[in-house]
Amino acid sequence: MRPNLAAVEIDTDDRSFLGVTKSARGFAWRERLPAHLKQTATAISQRHGLPDLIGRVLAARGIGLDAVPTFLDPSLKALMPDPSTLRDMDKAAARLADAIEAKQQVAIFGDYDVDGACSSALMKRFLEVHGAPARIYIPDRLFEGYGPNVAAIETLVNEGAKLIVTVDCGTTSFEPLSAARTLGADVIVIDHHQADERLPDVNAVVNPNRQDDISGQGMLCAAGVVFLVLVAATRELRRRGFYQGAREPDLLALLDLVALATVADVVPLVGLNRAYVKKGLAVMRARDNVGLTALADAAGLSVAPTPYHLGFILGPRINAGGRIGNAALGATLLSTDDPVEAQRIAELLNRLNKERKDIETAVLEEAMAIADRQLSDDPARAILIVGSDAWHKGVVGLVASRLVERFRRPACVIAWEATAIGTGSLRSVPGIDLGAAVRAAVTAGLLTKGGGHAMAAGLTVGRNNLALLETFLQDQLGATAQAVGDVAHLDIDAPLVASGATAELIDLIERVSPFGQGNPEARFVLPAHRVKFGKIIADAHVRVILEGSDGSRVDGVAFRAVGQPLGDLLMSASGLPIHVAGHLRRDTWGGRERIEMQIEDAADPRRQ
């Protein structure tokens, strides 16, 4: 099939697209495919018998000629490393095997987000299928905060835990894990957060982002690392003869949980992560996990799941428990085989998610106002830092993400307690490493604790250190933020006319899926299309009908665009030709399939 792409003149030297230098959202548009890769795109199409558009999409994402087959059909066989290449992996596998053989009680200490819930459920299911007693402990976000704490560790040991396995946390938990060893429990840390040179004194720290790990698997989320640990533990048990006369566990059946965590934690969808998600979605379609099935039903998800559904439908509901309810709900849901309990928890998480949205809306309105004032006073700020005594700490991460979307710079949102201690969540933009900056602030004595990744981090700070922290972060990030801000652009894969927005084109593009961090979804532009109809939905979104010069039409929707420059342009452009950028979606509402564009940006050609 040859997609109905629009004929658009593109400057091959500067990659500018349609001459857009400042869109409604303030971006300069450019062609994603650099000129020097156009020959590669052609070669990909010719060697592998692919349409030209797919060749362009692959080349623009840095996929080489020889890597195309594995990229389009990612398999665990081709992409999974020997788990032993991760530091301390063999130690962790041996200690887990010991616990299983001795039927020792194991406590799983997880994080309260999706990755933590999935990682906890993975470990619990693995241990229980081997007959080892296991319980999950998820700390309360409001009262305990992130990661292991001494009181919780003491409780777990006193309840009989001989082995504590931390998942998605623990890399910097020196005091609590030292307390566990003092009390006589062994500890395995399975994590993926950035680490300093110093590590906890435990039995094993399996973390591909520890500084002495050379496995090359630092892009994995915690659940991805846990899965490798389970593979290694199974191998060790097999070596010991544990499975003689018995079936080995079906680890592939657990990939639905790994896929969910991989998408929700926004790690790069490259390498092994692509195989995790592609194979995990296939497992999820079988609806064998009782908890996931109940959650999908409660959310009204009636189609085959995609990465979009994992990231924006299922993930937020699992997170809702940790944000404003019982932090353990998500892990409990994903590890249960009781359909009655699963339905109860799924319906509760669905309600909590609605409450979370209301809380987030109120906090976001106040945070936006503060951020606007900060930028009015200092337009060159490297990072926005906003906070309030009245904000719910369960939504600060979500609000930080919204601030980054709106202002295109890093943001830190802090919820202050009466004790003058603040819990902050930070989100970044590509090119600015927040995790390193937060770790540096910890080293400088400005934070009680903190850590994270390049794109997301968390911290605990005293109000007396806030001014010093702000100065420190502005200094740490200033030069990089300026460089990143100078090149704010929106990459475009191809122009398209409305008549070309077809199910066949979506089928074609989906060959490059799964999309996500590190493998961005194909972005198209409808050039000089007229807005024939526009309306506001739920006081937040803008829905339009776009018409090309040939009279063909396609529906479009811009989420959370009301009151923003993008929404203003769409609603004021009635009958006028504008350029519209976005992704194509299948809308199956009411049992009928139609194609629409999810609008990301727009530009008025008269103002370029």
Side-chain angles (χ1 to χ4, degrees), residues 203-456:
N203 296 72
V205 177
V206 183
N207 182 342
N209 284 307
R210 54 184 282 179
Q211 294 189 12
D212 60 348
D213 188 290
I214 58 173
S215 65
Q217 300 300 316
M219 76 291 186
L220 298 179
C221 68
V225 181
V226 169
F227 188 82
L228 290 180
V229 173
L230 303 188
V231 171
T234 301
R235 182 174 63 187
E236 174 63 16
L237 288 166
R238 184 187 308 122
R239 186 189 67 80
R240 298 184 185 189
F242 182 85
Y243 298 116
Q244 287 184 358
R247 291 183 59 186
E248 294 187 12
D250 182 7
L251 297 183
L252 296 182
L254 299 174
L255 285 174
D256 49 2
L257 297 178
V258 182
L260 175 58
T262 298
V263 173
D265 219 49
V266 201
V267 294
L269 289 188
V270 297
L272 179 56
N273 283 338
R274 284 184 60 75
Y276 277 158
V277 173
K278 194 117 181 181
K279 306 308 178 186
L281 286 171
V283 173
M284 197 176 295
R285 285 195 289 271
R287 292 170 61 90
D288 289 334
N289 185 295
V290 171
L292 273 179
T293 298
L295 189 63
D297 292 344
L301 180 57
S302 58
V303 296
T306 67
Y308 171 82
H309 298 124
L310 272 56
F312 294 97
I313 304 297
L314 301 180
R317 284 165 170 78
I318 293 172
N319 269 332
R323 295 190 187 284
I324 63 172
N326 179 343
L329 286 173
T332 303
L333 176 71
L334 298 178
S335 58
T336 188
D337 289 318
D338 181 346
V340 176
E341 181 184 39
Q343 182 179 358
R344 178 187 65 81
I345 295 175
E347 291 174 352
L348 175 57
L349 287 173
N350 206 41
R351 291 196 299 272
L352 288 172
N353 191 52
K354 293 177 181 177
E355 293 177 23
R356 185 271 305 168
K357 289 180 180 179
D358 293 339
I359 295 171
E360 179 190 345
T361 298
V363 173
L364 179 60
E365 185 176 351
E366 294 181 26
M368 286 282 193
I370 297 172
D372 274 325
R373 290 196 297 270
Q374 289 184 354
L375 289 174
S376 295
D377 295 339
D378 181 11
R381 288 180 67 95
I383 181 171
L384 298 167
I385 301 180
V386 301
S388 170
D389 297 339
W391 293 350
H392 194 296
K393 69 171 66 174
V395 301
V396 291
L398 298 169
V399 172
S401 295
R402 299 286 183 256
L403 292 181
V404 172
E405 288 178 9
R406 174 68 177 84
F407 298 106
R408 296 203 316 276
R409 68 191 70 203
C412 173
V413 181
I414 301 174
W416 293 102
E417 299 176 13
T419 57
I421 298 297
T423 299
S425 191
L426 303 90
R427 297 293 183 270
S428 192
V429 296
I432 298 181
D433 189 342
L434 274 183
V438 168
R439 293 200 317 278
V442 172
T443 302
L446 300 177
L447 300 175
T448 304
K449 62 179 179 179
H453 322 291
M455 294 293 290

Side-chain angles (χ1 to χ4, degrees), residues 47-48 58 62-73:
R47 178 187 292 187
H48 299 287
L58 290 170
I63 309 304
L65 269 173
D66 296 332
V68 169
T70 301
F71 188 86
L72 293 180
D73 185 20

Side-chain angles (χ1 to χ4, degrees), residues 531 533-538 541-545 556 558 562 570-571:
V531 178
F533 172 80
K535 67 176 180 179
I536 294 174
I537 305 295
H541 319 303
V542 175
R543 180 170 288 281
V544 296
I545 295 176
V562 172
L570 292 172
M571 292 302 295

